[in-house]
Amino acid sequence: MDSQHQQLLGNLAQDYYLSKMAISDISKKYNLSRYLIMKYLDEAFSSGIVDINIHTEYDRNAHLEHQLSKTFNIKNIYVIKDPDNPLDRDKIIANFAATQIQSLINEHMVIGLSWGETIFTVLDHFSRQPAQDLVFTQFMGENMKYKSSAASMRMVQKAAAKYDSPYYTIPGPLYILNDNARNALYQEPAFTEAFKTANNMDMVVCGLGTLQSIDSIPAWHDNKAKLFANVNLNQVAGMAFGRPYDINGNFLIHPTYDKTLSISLNKILNVPKRIAIVQRKSKYQAALGALRGNLFTDIILTESIALRIAKEL
């Protein structure tokens, strides 16, 4: 960048950001098109001439966001910087995720929620808001942690309470080995309304799992070979929507052998807005696979996970 061009970028940035000049006035002043002005403003930011500081409880790593978005062709990647005090990390990412998700909920009508401590903590940071024609729903069975705040039924109850909205639950386990029993449940009156609603989701909010989360439930741990028939468990990088996938984001379970009590995987992947929140560094491979497979339209990461992914790349 020569000094004359650098000076132009600086002048444009000062007029736009500090003097609050309209683009039309800047265009006349410098005899430049609107397209070139916006292009040069972006260049001023990327080259470091412009440094924007936003004072919030959390900071984002714009460089990593840009790098990952460009690599994986996913526009909405949010990288939350790790705080000086590691004990503040979960609170900070939950606060950011809650704000981001609630701003998106206003544009949607049927919200699907998975389970887990991450989602529960995010919901803790939801503010009470009025809503009309909004419903929360499970879209797959329970994780069987009934004595834990991580149970999925509590998620939809907790979210719906923030909006005074209705919610639907699926009062059955996530996995059912017996095909006849599982298929029969789809027709049971206690399940049909939830599945009908879930098939109309326009937004879904999830955490990411690993095989360790499967091992934490004795019934699943003892039957892994049956639950994931014909799956090489050594290839599993993460779990999303109850199904295992590899480091490239390819789901490893064939629909013929899928034991998940859930709406179809194809239906989930066609939900317009799919949001994942990942805050444990141990899940960086799960996050990398999800990014490579475009499993989500929006993903919120901690800086430590994003750095590990960047290093892996």
Side-chain angles (χ1 to χ4, degrees), residues 145-201:
K145 293 186 176 181
Y146 300 116
K147 296 181 181 180
S148 166
S149 60
S152 40
M153 187 178 295
R154 290 188 178 91
M155 302 300 166
V156 290
Q157 290 173 326
K158 193 177 183 70
K162 297 290 186 177
Y163 289 88
D164 292 324
S165 297
Y167 63 91
Y168 293 99
T169 62
I170 297 174
L174 174 63
Y175 301 115
I176 298 179
L177 284 175
N178 188 297
D179 294 338
N180 291 330
R182 186 178 60 260
N183 291 331
L185 286 178
Y186 291 120
Q187 310 304 321
E188 283 294 318
F191 294 76
T192 52
E193 196 61 35
F195 282 117
K196 178 182 176 182
T197 304
N199 274 302
N200 289 300
M201 292 188 303

Side-chain angles (χ1 to χ4, degrees), residues 11-12 16 20 61 72 157 244 296:
N11 291 338
L12 289 171
Y16 183 72
K20 307 295 183 184
N61 189 320
F72 298 107
Q157 290 173 326
F296 298 92

Side-chain angles (χ1 to χ4, degrees), residues 2-18:
D2 60 48
S3 58
Q4 187 175 3
H5 184 64
Q6 189 173 17
Q7 185 63 48
L8 173 62
L9 296 185
N11 291 338
L12 289 171
Q14 289 187 63
D15 287 344
Y16 183 72
Y17 291 110
L18 299 181

Side-chain angles (χ1 to χ4, degrees), residues 82 95 159 180 233 287:
D82 295 320
N95 184 40
N180 291 330
L233 296 180

